[in-house]
Amino acid sequence: MNSMEKSAQAFTRAARVIPGGVNSPVRSFKNVGGTPVFIHSAKGPYVTDIDGNRYIDYVGSWGPMILGHTSEAVVEAVQKAARRGTSFGAPTEDETELAELITRFVPSVETVRLVNSGTEATMSALRLARGYTQRDLLVKFQGSYHGHGDSFLIAAGSGAATLGVPDSPGVTKATASDTLVAMYNDLDTVWSLFKKHGGNIAAVIVEPVSGNMGVVPPEKGFLEGLRAITEQYGALLIFDEVMTGFRIARGGAQQLYHIKPDMTTFGKVIGGGLPVGAYGGKREILEKISPNGPIYQAGTLSGNPLATAAGIAVLRTIESIENFYEIMEEKSARLCDGINAASYESEVPLVVNRVGSMITPFFTDAQRIKDYGDVIACDKEKYAAFFHQLLQRGVYIAPSQFEASFVSYAHTDEQIHRSIDQFRSALKAVRGK
Ligand code: HOZ
C-alpha cells in the first residue's frame, strides 16, 4: 500500500473551496475519521486512488455500478451519445426506450417520468401524491433516507444519521410538521398515526429494504401491513427503490416481497453512474403531472441523452445475461458467508444483514438488527477502526455504519475470496479494541 499523501493534500486543497472538501457528506469519512481517498479511476470491481492504491470496491458509487466500473457497454453508449449531443431540452427516442425498459422490469410502473437524481424523484413523487390525494401529511420511517428534500430530513438516515443531524436546521417547522415518523418494522406505530391523522395522510414512503441505516430487511408482514393500511385509508404507498431497484431483483424489492406500491422512485442503477432518477407508477396517478395534469414538475436536463444512454446500456446488458440476478445472489451470499465465518473465527461478533447484493456488517452483540434503535446501538467506533483496517488491506466498503455496501457483477470469485481473507485479518486487528 502506498501512502495516502496525495489524497490528504487533495482534501486540504478541496476544503478551501468546497464546504467540508466534498460534494456529498458521507464521502468525507467524517463518521470513520481520517481523510477520504480521492479517486483517480476505476475498472470492474476496482477503484484506484490518486496515490496509486487499488481497492476492491464495495461502495460502487453507492449502488449504480451494478456491472462494475467503466463497463464497455456503458462507456461506449455514453461516448456515442456524447458525439450526437449532450443536451437538447427536447424529447428523444432514447427516453422512451429507457421508460419502456423500466416499465418492463417493474410492472407496477405503468408510466414513468425521468429526472436527475433520487432526491428529485422522491420530492416529485411526494408532490404528486399530495396533489393527487389532496392531502398534506407524509409518513416516513425513522432512520430512512429519501434524499435531501426538506420533507424527508426528519429522523433521517444515511449522511444525516452519520453526521448526527437527523433533523436538519433549515427545514421549517411548518414543513417538518407535515412529516409524521413511524418505526421501521413496527406496524403499530403506523396504525396509531393513521388512527389519528388517517384522513389527511397523502402517502407512506418506505425503503422496502432499508439501505440508509445500513441494510435492514423488512420483517414478515411489514410491507403487507403498509399496503393494507394505506389502502384502508386511501393514502398512496410509495416504494423508494432508488437503492433496491434493478439491484436486489429484476423487479426490485416489490418483486421480491410481492407487494404492488402505487408509486416507485428510482435512481442509481438506471443511470449507470450518470445523474438520473425516475418516478413512476399507476397511469391514473401519473396523469396528474404537467403537462397532462395540474401538478408541476420539470427539468432542463431531465432525460439527458448521456444519462439515458448509460441507463439503457445497463438495463440491456442485465437483460442479455442469463440468470443475472441468480449470479448476483450467489456472489453476494458467498461474500456474506465468508464475513460471518471471519466474524466467528476472529471472535468479533457481527450481525451481517444482506438482501441480494446489498450488505452491512453491524458491530453488535445483538442477535439481529431490525430497526433504527438497533442500528444506533451498534459499535460505530469499531466499525470505523475496521473500515480503516480494510482500507489499508485494499478493500473499500461504505465509510459509515449507517450505509449499505454493494457487490457488483464484476466481482469475481477470486476477488471475493481475497476480500474475505482481508475481512478476517481486519477483524482480528480490531478485536479487543
Ligand atoms: N447518499 C449516499 C449514501 N446513501 C451517499 C452519497 C455520497 O456521499 O456520494
Side-chain angles (χ1 to χ4, degrees), residues 28-51:
S28 69
F29 281 18
K30 204 151 184 179
N31 190 249
V32 290
T35 52
V37 286
F38 274 56
I39 304 301
H40 173 263
S41 56
K43 182 79 203 152
Y46 293 109
V47 288
T48 302
D49 71 17
I50 56 174
D51 287 284

Side-chain angles (χ1 to χ4, degrees), residues 220-251:
K220 211 166 180 315
F222 177 61
L223 298 175
E224 290 84 345
L226 295 183
R227 183 64 285 184
I229 298 171
T230 45
E231 262 167 15
Q232 180 175 329
Y233 282 89
L236 301 186
L237 180 61
I238 306 173
F239 272 13
D240 179 348
E241 298 230 42
V242 168
M243 220 181 251
T244 51
F246 310 90
R247 173 163 283 281
I248 62 173
R250 182 185 156 89

Side-chain angles (χ1 to χ4, degrees), residues 43 90 125 160 248 325 331 388:
K43 182 79 203 152
I248 62 173
Y325 289 98
K331 287 177 192 287
H388 281 291

Side-chain angles (χ1 to χ4, degrees), residues 111-373:
T111 62
V112 59
R113 182 49 80 76
L114 300 178
V115 291
N116 295 291
S117 67
T119 291
E120 232 186 278
T122 54
M123 281 165 38
S124 310
L126 174 58
R127 183 182 310 130
L128 175 54
R130 285 177 165 152
Y132 178 80
T133 59
Q134 303 193 2
R135 299 173 178 184
D136 290 341
L137 300 177
L138 169 74
V139 174
K140 77 172 284 285
F141 294 91
Q142 195 181 32
S144 293
Y145 179 77
H146 306 285
H148 62 89
D150 283 2
S151 300
F152 305 112
L153 284 182
I154 321 291
S158 187
T162 298
L163 305 180
V165 284
D167 303 305
S168 176
V171 175
T172 65
K173 281 199 188 84
T175 298
S177 67
D178 281 339
T179 299
L180 310 173
V181 179
M183 290 294 288
Y184 190 77
N185 274 331
D186 182 347
L187 283 175
D188 288 346
T189 61
V190 183
W191 274 119
S192 56
L193 290 175
F194 270 89
K195 275 182 193 143
K196 205 158 162 208
H197 307 281
N200 197 22
I201 295 175
V204 172
I205 190 166
V206 65
E207 296 175 77
V209 172
S210 179
N212 283 297
M213 51 175 136
V215 176
V216 181
E219 304 240 294
K220 211 166 180 315
F222 177 61
L223 298 175
E224 290 84 345
L226 295 183
R227 183 64 285 184
I229 298 171
T230 45
E231 262 167 15
Q232 180 175 329
Y233 282 89
L236 301 186
L237 180 61
I238 306 173
F239 272 13
D240 179 348
E241 298 230 42
V242 168
M243 220 181 251
T244 51
F246 310 90
R247 173 163 283 281
I248 62 173
R250 182 185 156 89
Q254 52 197 273
Q255 177 191 320
L256 206 59
Y257 297 101
H258 310 289
I259 306 290
K260 197 171 169 189
D262 301 298
M263 272 200 277
T264 306
T265 57
F266 301 107
K268 303 199 189 272
V269 168
I270 55 158
L274 276 85
V276 150
Y279 66 105
K282 289 184 179 154
R283 183 181 301 275
E284 177 206 338
I285 301 172
L286 272 286
E287 282 301 301
K288 300 286 184 228
I289 47 174
S290 207
N292 287 1
I295 301 162
Y296 201 70
Q297 180 271 312
T300 299
L301 293 175
S302 293
N304 172 266
L306 303 192
T308 305
I312 293 171
V314 172
L315 297 188
R316 276 201 198 142
T317 304
I318 290 175
E319 275 202 320
S320 72
I321 299 171
E322 210 180 325
N323 301 328
F324 179 86
Y325 289 98
E326 286 79 2
I327 296 168
M328 290 294 290
E329 177 68 21
E330 273 168 33
K331 287 177 192 287
S332 311
R334 200 167 304 133
L335 179 65
C336 184
D337 291 347
I339 302 172
N340 275 320
S343 152
Y344 184 73
E345 283 167 45
S346 60
E347 296 172 5
V348 178
L350 290 179
V351 169
V352 187
N353 277 358
R354 176 182 78 84
V355 180
S357 50
M358 293 168 54
I359 298 183
T360 302
F362 290 100
F363 283 79
T364 177
D365 290 324
Q367 292 304 304
R368 62 189 185 129
I369 298 290
K370 61 164 195 342
D371 61 27
Y372 188 60

Side-chain angles (χ1 to χ4, degrees), residues 408-421:
S408 82
Y409 189 77
H411 287 87
T412 62
D413 280 358
E414 189 273 322
Q415 286 143 0
I416 288 174
H417 280 129
R418 199 143 40 90
S419 306
I420 293 168
D421 288 342

